[in-house]
């Protein structure tokens, strides 16, 4: 659950800034990505874990309304539902602190009963708000069954080469790419070096997202720069998750990576013009209309 406060600016350490409105919004990186995927028209299965508390019950009801299977929304009896405290500035910038709670109790043994769902998927999308051993377990399963694995390596952490070799596509932002490779990513040239390092570590395809500066696609055929669609940002909280969720949809629908990036970039551009995480996520009709408008 995202607990959001709108502020004139993000507070510095030790500083108190009087803000505007506060509100609760359904969030979580995995949930945001899954909602982006299902709203974009994809047959989406979302496996997650919440706490046995009011937030958890609210989220289960919300996920059911979105169209997810409720038997895949697991409950931990000891840990509370994960929460994020989000500050959003007038410029649309954000600062986020996360208490993962039940998210970090989603273990491989929880996934095992649903193994056939993973093995028979076209695409599996993962991020790092769940335990790394669970990520590795799913990656191994996807790799063995030739399922395309997209990994959004956020929140940022170091990853083993054994895991990276099982990733079909990785989608770090600049800071995440820097941590993964040890290369300071600050422009297209340094991003290319970081991507080359990730290719050497075994990843097939790399998309480095750079916010308003667009995205860089790297693969064995070289690299390509994609400009971002220009929109005035109100709240960028879920933009990266929207990008990843809709990218997975386009890949599932067998679009080229170039087409997938354009589709995902449009969805992300729409999302930054709206407040909140999941409330900002567009539908397929909205994405298609946007793309028709910007042709």
């Amino acid at each position: 659950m995202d607990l959001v406060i709108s502020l004139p600016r993000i507070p510095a350490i030790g500083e108190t800034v009087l803000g505007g409105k506060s509100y609760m919004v359904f969030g979580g990186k995995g949930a945001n990505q899954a909602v982006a995927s299902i709203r974009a028209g994809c047959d989406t299965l979302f496996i997650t874990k919440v706490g046995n508390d009011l937030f958890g019950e609210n989220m289960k009801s919300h996920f059911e309304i979105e169209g997810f299977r409720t038997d895949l929304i697991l409950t931990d009896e000891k840990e509370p539902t994960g929460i994020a405290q989000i500050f959003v500035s007038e410029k649309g910038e954000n600062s986020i602190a996360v208490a993962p709670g039940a998210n970090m109790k989603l273990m491989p043994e929880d996934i095992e009963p649903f193994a056939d769902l993973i093995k028979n998927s076209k695409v599996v999308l993962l991020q790092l708000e769940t335990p790394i051993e669970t990520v590795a377990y799913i990656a191994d399963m996807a790799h063995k069954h030739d399922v395309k694995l997209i990994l959004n390596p956020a929140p940022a952490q170091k990853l083993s080469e054994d895991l990276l070799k099982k990733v079909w596509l990785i989608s770090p932002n600049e800071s995440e790419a820097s941590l993964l490779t040890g290369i300071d990513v600050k422009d297209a040239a340094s991003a290319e070096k970081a991507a080359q390092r990730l290719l050497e570590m075994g990843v097939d395809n790399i998309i480095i997202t750079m916010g308003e500066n667009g995205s860089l696609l790297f693969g064995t055929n070289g690299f390509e720069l994609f400009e971002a669609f220009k929109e005035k940002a109100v709240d960028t909280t879920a933009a990266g998750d929207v990008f990843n969720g809709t990218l997975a949809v386009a890949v599932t629908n067998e679009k080229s990576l170039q087409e997938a990036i354009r589709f995902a970039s449009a969805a992300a551009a729409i999302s930054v013009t709206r407040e909140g995480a999941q409330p900002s996520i567009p539908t397929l009709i909205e994405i298609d209309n946007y793309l028709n408008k910007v042709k």
Side-chain angles (χ1 to χ4, degrees), residues 152 171-176 207-211 214-216 240 243-244:
N152 175 223
S171 58
N173 63 20
E174 292 155 298
S175 61
E176 291 152 4
I207 297 172
I208 298 180
T209 58
M210 303 186 298
S215 307
L216 285 156
F243 181 92
N244 280 279

Side-chain angles (χ1 to χ4, degrees), residues 99-117:
N103 285 51
M104 283 301 168
K105 295 297 181 180
L106 185 68
M107 306 307 293
E109 53 265 31
D110 294 315
I111 305 298
E112 190 175 357
F114 311 116
D116 285 345
L117 299 178

Side-chain angles (χ1 to χ4, degrees), residues 167-171 199 202-207 217-220 257:
V167 174
W168 178 75
L169 185 148
I170 197 165
S171 58
L199 285 172
V203 182
D204 292 331
N205 302 283
I206 300 104
I207 297 172
L217 168 64
F218 299 83
T220 51
L257 282 177

Side-chain angles (χ1 to χ4, degrees), residues 1-6 21-28 32 35 39 62 84 86-89 92-94 96 233-242 267-282:
M1 186 72 78
D2 290 345
L3 311 176
V4 186
I5 302 177
S6 295
K21 62 182 177 180
S22 66
Y23 46 97
M24 293 193 303
V25 183
F26 296 111
N32 294 343
V35 170
R39 287 189 191 169
H62 166 65
I86 303 176
F87 295 145
V88 180
S89 76
E93 302 160 325
N94 64 65
I96 306 174
V234 172
D235 182 357
T236 60
T237 302
D241 295 331
V242 172
I270 296 168
S271 77
V272 303
T273 66
R274 303 168 176 174
E275 291 184 337
Q278 288 171 40
S280 75
I281 298 173

Side-chain angles (χ1 to χ4, degrees), residues 55-71:
F55 285 165
E57 288 304 312
N58 288 343
M59 296 190 95
K60 283 183 178 179
S61 298
H62 166 65
F63 292 142
E64 188 171 12
I65 291 168
E66 289 287 347
F68 295 117
R69 278 177 45 175
T70 53
D71 61 313

Side-chain angles (χ1 to χ4, degrees), residues 157-170:
Q157 62 176 280
K158 285 279 191 182
L159 298 173
S160 70
E161 289 199 22
D162 181 63
L163 172 58
L164 290 171
K165 285 174 183 174
K166 295 165 185 169
V167 174
W168 178 75
L169 185 148
I170 197 165

Side-chain angles (χ1 to χ4, degrees), residues 126-166:
L126 295 173
Q127 35 64 43
L128 301 178
E129 280 188 345
T130 48
I132 195 65
E133 57 262 47
T134 305
V135 172
Y137 174 79
I138 296 169
D140 188 54
M141 192 186 308
H143 184 69
K144 284 180 180 175
H145 293 273
D146 295 321
V147 178
K148 288 180 177 176
L149 180 71
I150 298 176
L151 175 62
N152 175 223
Q157 62 176 280
K158 285 279 191 182
L159 298 173
S160 70
E161 289 199 22
D162 181 63
L163 172 58
L164 290 171
K165 285 174 183 174
K166 295 165 185 169

